Amino acid sequence: MLLRLVLLLCLLSPGVSQASLLDRSPAPAFSGLVDGTGGQADFLPVAQAFKPGVVAATDQQIRIQFDIAPGYYLYRHRLDFRLTDDGLIRNIVLPDGEAKRDEFFGDVEVYYDRVEIILELEGAASGQQLSVDFQGCADAGLCYPPETVQLQLPGEPSSAISTAQTDAAETEGERLSILALALFFLAGIGLTFTPCVLPMLPILSSMVVGRKDIDRPRALALAGSYVLAMALTFALVGALIGLFGAALNIQARLQSPAVLITFAVFFGLFALAMFGVFDLRLPAFLREPLERAGSRTRGGSIPGAALMGALSTLVVSPCISAPLAGALVYISSTGDAVGGALRLFSLALGMGLPLLLVAVFGNAFLPRSGPWLNSVKNLFGFGLLGVAIWLLERVIPGPLSLALWATLAAGLAVQLGLFDRSPRGAWGHIGHVLALLSAIYAAVALTGALAGASDPLRPLMPLTAGSQRSSEAESGFFTRVSNQADLQRELELARTNQRPALVELYADWCISCKIMERTILSAPEVREQLEPFARIKFDLTDNTADQRSWLSAQKLFGPPAFLYIDAQGNEIEHLRLMGETDRETFLTHLRKVTAR
């Protein structure tokens, strides 16, 4: 649903169409990996690819000709024409085009090289402006946004009408821009509940919820600073993506072990401060001037909240979800820095709205004083420790990360009152039950870690016979590569053997990759469908320059993603899967590939 929402907003936005994301012809853009070029096609500007002009104009008809560059084509059904006086065009005569099967538009007709269109008129149209709407694509894999050009007909122009028409067009463009921003905002709200954004909840909540020195206005200021900084960071990324495209890949560049371990240590220290082990304090020569400057403020640091919001955006959530992948592809294809900034700013505001509501109204559900406050602080401390483990999962062995989750669950069980012999009231009994469940999970997870498990959702997997068989099969099911040369070699081998190929983009620091491997790639029905394919796992964990250049050439922004290559070595680009998806969507794409 979220992906469809992003595709809709891209269709409505001036400058990029739905087709620019999805309607791509089979893969000369990808075949460079097989032929050894490793390059990317250089696409013409739209004004050079498609050149409309008035051939002749009489009182009865207007003849329009499109000159189309080699390797480019126009959609017949996307052509439309309007005169200043709308009633003058009686009929539009379009010649038959070349039949083409389009994944999303269905059976369509397209024009190559040159096409002539006749507009039959009810009366003289001399001096008027003719609006020409069209949309075209390149065979090499790029579709242009819907375009509108103005052609001046011979005769005396009517400046008043022309100005009114221009103003109306500008008003329509503004309306569509606002609608696109609103849709990006709605897509952002949906992204809040994905694994890439959820870790931000304990970070923000720990700053404001359950603190007696922070009232609702102050909570709003702190949470607003966090969300605004998050949105501005996304806006900066959007502007840079608009300028430089997929080559930037900021978030993946920040997934080095040094950065992740550093932030995990910081979150661990923040958690210990929540537990009351110590107070995080700056040196006196820095602290005292800041305390004097902030003596008129209450609770929390607005600059600190803003800094945490910016860093959380770049470090805590590096995953590429499907809606975000669609948005990034859309922005990179526009080359519009300002538009990219505004759209990702709206997306981030949508992501931050639920976080803002939790932070501002969380205190409304808690007592203003008493032991609850310490309990709430402790619980948020466990949340921050969970974020630290979440970061470390990307750089430490799986069994060790599972052992850390077991330790966290054991500590949570103690905090919830596992050893309290006489819990008081209904909440006390509920806490006791949760503590018991947490302790059971801790024991199970620790057992699984000792047996070599790494999945916190399936900690006993290595101890089951079925999973052992699955693990044995996993070792040879995908061929793992980590550079362009090895990837090209495997694709060339698949082409030689006349086998289609599946390329999975994976990284150890990509949480969504692990979720999809667990829920999709290990499923028996998926593996059965994948048997005819040459299965290649492109491991981007090290984020090398070679890997980044490949991502840029393929207009990809990071894992997870799945690319389908036909038996001739060409990518079926309109079947690309970018971001986390569900099993049924994955199987649907597989069936479309095998049916070709």
Side-chain angles (χ1 to χ4, degrees), residues 331-349:
I331 291 169
S332 69
S333 65
T334 66
D336 180 6
V338 175
L342 289 175
R343 291 173 182 107
L344 278 197
F345 183 82
S346 299
L347 186 81
L349 287 181

Side-chain angles (χ1 to χ4, degrees), residues 49-67:
F50 312 101
K51 298 177 181 179
V54 177
V55 176
T58 67
D59 291 347
Q60 288 77 39
Q61 68 177 25
I62 302 171
R63 291 170 57 202
I64 308 297
Q65 179 175 293
F66 267 94
D67 290 322

Side-chain angles (χ1 to χ4, degrees), residues 104-340:
F104 292 90
F105 288 144
D107 292 323
V108 296
E109 294 182 35
V110 299
Y111 298 120
Y112 283 91
D113 300 325
R114 178 174 295 173
V115 62
E116 187 173 294
I117 302 103
I118 296 176
L119 308 181
E120 298 176 349
L121 305 179
E122 293 284 357
S126 60
Q128 296 195 33
Q129 275 195 336
L130 176 65
S131 297
V132 181
D133 299 334
F134 65 92
Q135 183 180 4
C137 298
D139 283 331
L142 174 72
C143 277
Y144 293 88
E147 292 286 339
T148 300
V149 298
Q150 307 293 332
L151 302 179
Q152 184 68 45
L153 298 181
E156 290 295 324
S158 173
S159 60
I161 295 178
S162 178
T163 301
Q165 185 184 40
T166 301
D167 291 342
E170 291 177 353
T171 301
E172 178 68 10
E174 292 173 358
R175 184 185 70 81
L176 291 176
S177 293
I178 293 172
L179 178 58
L181 294 179
L183 289 172
F184 267 103
F185 180 82
L186 292 175
I189 293 177
L191 281 176
T192 305
F193 306 101
T194 64
C196 294
V197 183
L198 282 177
M200 294 185 182
L201 183 59
I203 298 173
L204 177 57
S205 299
S206 65
M207 299 179 184
V208 292
V209 177
R211 293 182 56 174
K212 60 184 178 182
D213 59 335
I214 296 180
D215 55 18
R216 187 168 295 171
R218 186 63 178 173
L220 178 61
L222 290 170
S225 299
Y226 181 96
V227 171
L228 182 60
M230 182 178 78
L232 289 174
T233 305
F234 263 96
L236 176 61
V237 171
L240 294 174
I241 290 294
L243 288 173
F244 301 108
L248 192 64
N249 204 4
I250 292 176
Q251 288 178 312
R253 293 174 186 265
L254 290 175
Q255 299 308 305
S256 67
V259 172
L260 294 173
I261 292 173
T262 299
F263 274 87
V265 170
F266 274 120
F267 283 121
L269 292 175
F270 295 154
L272 293 178
M274 285 285 182
F275 297 143
V277 174
F278 56 83
D279 291 328
L280 289 175
R281 299 171 68 86
L282 292 171
F285 74 94
L286 292 176
R287 184 181 71 251
E288 291 173 0
L290 291 174
E291 287 178 348
R292 287 195 297 271
S295 59
R296 291 183 297 273
T297 66
R298 293 163 290 122
S301 164
I302 289 179
L307 179 61
M308 189 59 68
L311 294 177
S312 297
T313 301
L314 295 175
V315 178
V316 175
S317 62
C319 306
I320 301 295
S321 59
L324 182 56
L328 292 176
V329 171
Y330 159 46
I331 291 169
S332 69
S333 65
T334 66
D336 180 6
V338 175

Side-chain angles (χ1 to χ4, degrees), residues 27-34 491 503 550 554 563 565 569 571 573 576:
F30 193 86
S31 60
L33 288 176
V34 176
L491 289 173
V503 178
W550 183 88
Q554 301 306 317
L563 312 181
I565 318 299
E571 185 194 358
E573 289 202 36
R576 271 188 183 184

Side-chain angles (χ1 to χ4, degrees), residues 528-548:
E528 181 180 353
Q529 293 284 336
L530 283 174
E531 281 296 336
F533 288 79
R535 302 168 295 275
I536 308 167
K537 185 191 299 290
F538 195 2
D539 191 341
L540 305 173
T541 300
D542 295 334
N543 192 33
T544 63
D546 177 80
Q547 294 166 359
R548 291 194 298 269

